[in-house]
Amino acid sequence: MTKQENGQKGFWRHSARVVQFVAIGFALLWTLAPVYWMLATSFKSELEATRLDPTLWPHDPTLANYIGLAGTSLPFPQFFLNTMVDCLLTAVIAVVIGTPAAYALSRAKFRLRKPFGYTVLIFRMLPMVVLLAPLYLMLLHARLLDTHFGLIVGFTTFGLPFAVWMIKSFIDAVPIEIEEAARVDGYPRWQVVLRVVVPLIVPGLLTTGTFVFMDAWNNLIYPLTFMTTLDKQTLPAALVLTFTGQFKTDWGGMMAAATVTTLPLMIAFFAVQRSMVRGLTAGAVAGA
Amino acid sequence: MILPTILVLAIVVGYPIIYTLVLSVQDYNLLNIDPAVFVGAENYRNILTDRIFWQSLANTAVYTFGSVGIATLIGLAMALLMENLGGAGFRVIRALLVTPWAVPFVVVAFLFRYMYAQKGGIINAMLTGLGIIDDPISWLNVASLAMPSVMVANIWAMAPFFFLLLSATLAGIPVEVIESARVDRTRTWSMIYHIKLPYLRNPLLIGSLLMIIANFNDFAKIWAMTQGGPGYSTSTLVIYVYRVAFENFEFGYASALGVLWLALLFIFALAYMRALRTD
């Protein structure tokens, strides 16, 4: 190879790199611009947020929108607390009830194992709106409409099946020999699960719980239908109910509320980012 | 040990499903004081001639397959772009590229609603500034533009999932495979097509199946952006069933719609699993 050819190759490689970096730049812009816009607007005054020639950054940064959230007109701190409590409880319930089932699905040999597994998987894929009307009537008759417990029941319909499959994928990865040693020592099965298996999969359980939490946080259809008192509403539903007025839209306040709604999810998300793919596809492979 | 789960699932999922089947053959309106009447297949017959149902079904297909298809391509492109780029800087970039996935659906909806706004919306400001359009467009209020506009928001939120999934798969391709292909002087494009895509096939299938199901179910984004309007132009099946059930309170008809939909989804999932198995 001559020197010149080498130089040419280097040139092409170099420009390929440039193209690659420019493309990554565009990807970043596409990804981050909306998030930046949300943050920037949340610090703008109402006047600045609706200008026909939008300002790229807040020229008169103000905290008024955030202070407004804590104000008296709408109980945003209450919405925040509601969502936190409802979603956390759902996550805890899903993990606590789901773990034994996941263990059985992973380890025990019983005749109905396969049908049970598939049923749970199908439940995971069910369109929520199909369950909506009967769940509504069920909660109505049980006098659970407009209660936090009723909403948690709703969240459990998708949280629990998901938790079972995801926890199963973590238990599958635990070598069975570890359990056998404990069994030889004469521990009953449930103690083996509690003392040997559960400690080994604590990170997995936390991840699972986080996913259920995130799913519940994202859910809009259940709180919107099951809760009638505004004070008991979750944050996403409250956003929809309070900001959908066609004529008056306070975008600055809206974006501040949106930022506050995003933060917990963002934190949860980055905590489990490594297990993200596994969590999302758990069960899908096994079901194939 | 599975008893608690069976019990809970039977109550919160199993029972509602059976109840749906029962409701679907009744004329049940929550606002009616008269008890529900058994009407047999009447609800189902009505669906066949229900124009809004068919439009919603078509909308669902466009929304779902369009969004998932484009999000897959964007995710794939990003994953290929970021492949083999190590180091702390690129790790940060990779993390930044998945942030939309952590934005709650309702927030995605309001964020884009604001960006689409006629007054103060950045998208209109940019397009008029560049001279591409003369007057601000009311993106979400024009029947023909509303659906694509909603889909852009959806794609923005969903592409990171495919980016994440495919990045993980690409990182898992054995180095020897890539090396030997490189020795054979395989060009970039044919490397992607012949070597990498076969590895990506199953994750792509599984990922898109999951996202298709998730999109069939998507309520929050559409509801918070357009509530299915203008008219029924962005009304998907979820939105339509929701409106029938909770605006008209016709639980019987809504349930029949739900049952039909369940059947559709089931057939779809089955076909997909089949495709996944044959290789």
Side-chain angles (χ1 to χ4, degrees):
Chain A
M1 211 182 279
T2 66
K3 221 177 189 173
Q4 200 187 356
E5 268 176 348
N6 247 332
Q8 244 175 13
K9 242 185 156 168
F11 172 76
W12 284 118
R13 198 169 292 158
H14 191 69
S15 34
R17 264 274 134 117
V18 171
V19 171
Q20 185 183 18
F21 286 168
V22 169
I24 291 174
F26 270 113
L28 273 174
L29 190 69
W30 146 267
T31 305
L32 293 179
V35 180
Y36 168 75
W37 201 238
M38 173 171 84
L39 283 172
T41 307
S42 72
F43 294 109
K44 288 178 184 174
S45 66
E46 200 173 336
L47 201 68
E48 198 180 348
T50 46
R51 269 170 63 152
L52 276 181
D53 51 336
T55 49
L56 264 184
W57 63 89
H59 288 292
D60 281 310
T62 166
L63 284 173
N65 295 317
Y66 288 94
I67 296 164
L69 288 184
T72 42
S73 62
L74 282 168
F76 268 95
Q78 181 68 43
F79 295 146
F80 188 83
L81 192 71
N82 292 342
T83 325
M84 262 308 184
V85 170
D86 294 350
C87 296
L88 273 179
L89 278 178
T90 306
V92 171
I93 291 172
V95 169
V96 169
I97 302 180
T99 306
Y103 179 80
L105 211 54
S106 170
R107 293 287 199 249
K109 291 182 180 65
F110 57 100
R111 197 139 38 100
L112 288 177
R113 199 181 76 156
K114 270 210 154 155
F116 172 71
Y118 281 120
T119 311
V120 175
L121 195 65
I122 289 174
F123 280 6
R124 204 197 126 183
M125 296 178 176
L126 274 182
M128 273 170 248
V129 82
V130 174
L131 301 178
L132 201 59
L135 261 179
Y136 181 85
L137 292 176
M138 198 171 100
L139 294 175
L140 179 75
H141 294 142
R143 295 179 184 282
L144 286 173
L145 276 184
D146 204 25
T147 65
H148 292 291
F149 184 73
L151 185 58
I152 291 171
V153 167
F155 286 163
T156 305
T157 59
F158 56 83
L160 184 55
F162 171 77
V164 170
W165 270 96
M166 186 156 169
I167 297 171
K168 176 185 176 291
S169 81
F170 286 107
I171 296 179
D172 285 343
V174 175
I176 202 150
E177 291 77 25
I178 297 179
E179 282 172 59
E180 275 162 359
R183 296 215 45 159
V184 171
D185 290 342
Y187 283 107
R189 194 119 213 187
W190 64 271
Q191 282 216 349
V192 174
V193 176
L194 213 61
R195 296 196 177 177
V196 181
V197 180
V198 167
L200 283 172
I201 57 165
V202 165
L205 296 181
L206 285 176
T207 311
T208 308
T210 313
F211 273 103
V212 175
F213 175 84
M214 289 176 69
D215 262 0
W217 195 279
N218 258 322
N219 189 281
L220 173 67
I221 200 164
Y222 285 156
L224 218 49
T225 29
F226 298 160
M227 307 304 263
T228 42
T229 314
L230 188 63
D231 285 4
K232 294 182 189 167
Q233 207 46 280
T234 64
L235 207 39
L239 285 188
V240 171
L241 290 172
T242 51
F243 282 100
T244 36
Q246 286 287 334
F247 301 102
K248 183 205 161 265
T249 314
D250 164 21
W251 286 118
M254 174 77 227
M255 290 300 119
T259 307
V260 171
T261 311
T262 307
L263 271 180
L265 212 60
M266 203 60 103
I267 293 167
F269 178 87
F270 281 106
V272 296
Q273 211 203 328
R274 273 165 202 277
S275 329
M276 203 79 205
V277 172
R278 177 183 197 162
L280 288 161
T281 52
V285 189
Chain B
M1 262 192 268
I2 54 172
L3 212 62
T5 298
I6 291 185
L7 211 67
V8 172
L9 283 182
I11 296 170
V12 303
V13 187
Y15 173 74
I17 291 179
I18 294 166
Y19 203 0
T20 303
L21 290 172
V22 175
L23 282 171
S24 75
V25 290
Q26 290 181 339
D27 179 13
Y28 189 119
N29 190 311
L30 200 62
L31 301 180
N32 251 338
I33 311 159
D34 305 327
V37 196
F38 177 80
V39 292
E42 197 191 297
N43 284 329
Y44 291 96
R45 270 200 301 276
N46 287 341
I47 291 176
L48 293 179
T49 54
D50 181 349
R51 246 190 52 240
I52 302 171
F53 164 76
W54 292 107
Q55 195 192 339
S56 301
L57 188 67
N59 284 343
T60 310
V62 170
Y63 180 74
T64 304
F65 294 109
S67 312
V68 173
I70 298 172
T72 309
L73 289 179
I74 294 178
L76 178 64
M78 294 204 292
L80 288 171
L81 268 178
M82 291 295 294
E83 201 197 354
N84 300 331
L85 293 177
F90 289 110
R91 262 205 303 282
V92 172
I93 293 182
R94 204 164 274 138
L96 287 175
L97 283 176
V98 289
T99 38
W101 190 254
V103 179
F105 294 166
V106 170
V107 172
V108 171
F110 279 114
L111 178 53
F112 275 81
R113 233 174 90 175
Y114 172 48
M115 295 198 300
Y116 283 131
Q118 218 170 353
K119 197 174 167 226
I122 180 77
I123 293 175
N124 276 317
M126 261 167 30
L127 291 177
T128 43
L130 292 171
I132 297 173
I133 54 172
D134 294 328
D135 294 302
I137 295 173
S138 182
W139 296 95
L140 296 169
N141 292 325
V142 180
S144 57
L145 292 177
M147 182 56 102
S149 305
V150 173
M151 280 167 66
V152 168
N154 189 31
I155 291 165
W156 178 79
M158 187 170 35
F161 164 72
F162 286 102
F163 168 63
L164 215 60
L165 177 72
L166 300 176
S167 289
T169 316
L170 282 176
I173 299 179
V175 186
E176 303 84 56
V177 176
I178 302 287
E179 285 297 310
S180 66
R182 195 161 285 153
V183 170
D184 293 341
R185 292 176 166 269
T186 314
R187 284 176 181 280
T188 312
W189 289 116
S190 91
M191 174 89 107
I192 291 173
Y193 190 77
H194 291 291
I195 315 284
K196 289 174 186 166
L197 274 190
Y199 274 97
L200 295 175
R201 184 175 173 271
N202 270 353
L204 274 172
L205 281 174
I206 293 166
S208 44
L209 173 66
L210 286 172
M211 283 302 114
I212 284 168
I213 289 171
N215 274 280
F216 268 129
N217 280 314
D218 187 17
F219 174 78
K221 287 187 220 100
I222 303 177
W223 189 257
M225 280 181 98
T226 63
Q227 307 211 328
Y232 281 91
S233 58
T234 54
S235 165
T236 57
L237 279 176
V238 189
I239 304 283
Y240 185 46
V241 174
Y242 181 81
R243 277 181 160 185
V244 170
F246 290 92
E247 276 175 12
N248 307 335
F249 293 99
E250 297 194 26
F251 278 23
Y253 192 57
S255 297
L257 287 168
V259 172
L260 208 68
W261 180 10
L262 219 56
L264 272 176
L265 202 62
F266 191 70
I267 293 168
F268 176 75
L270 226 58
Y272 214 87
M273 301 280 190
R274 251 254 154 72
L276 204 61
R277 212 177 298 174
T278 53
D279 63 337

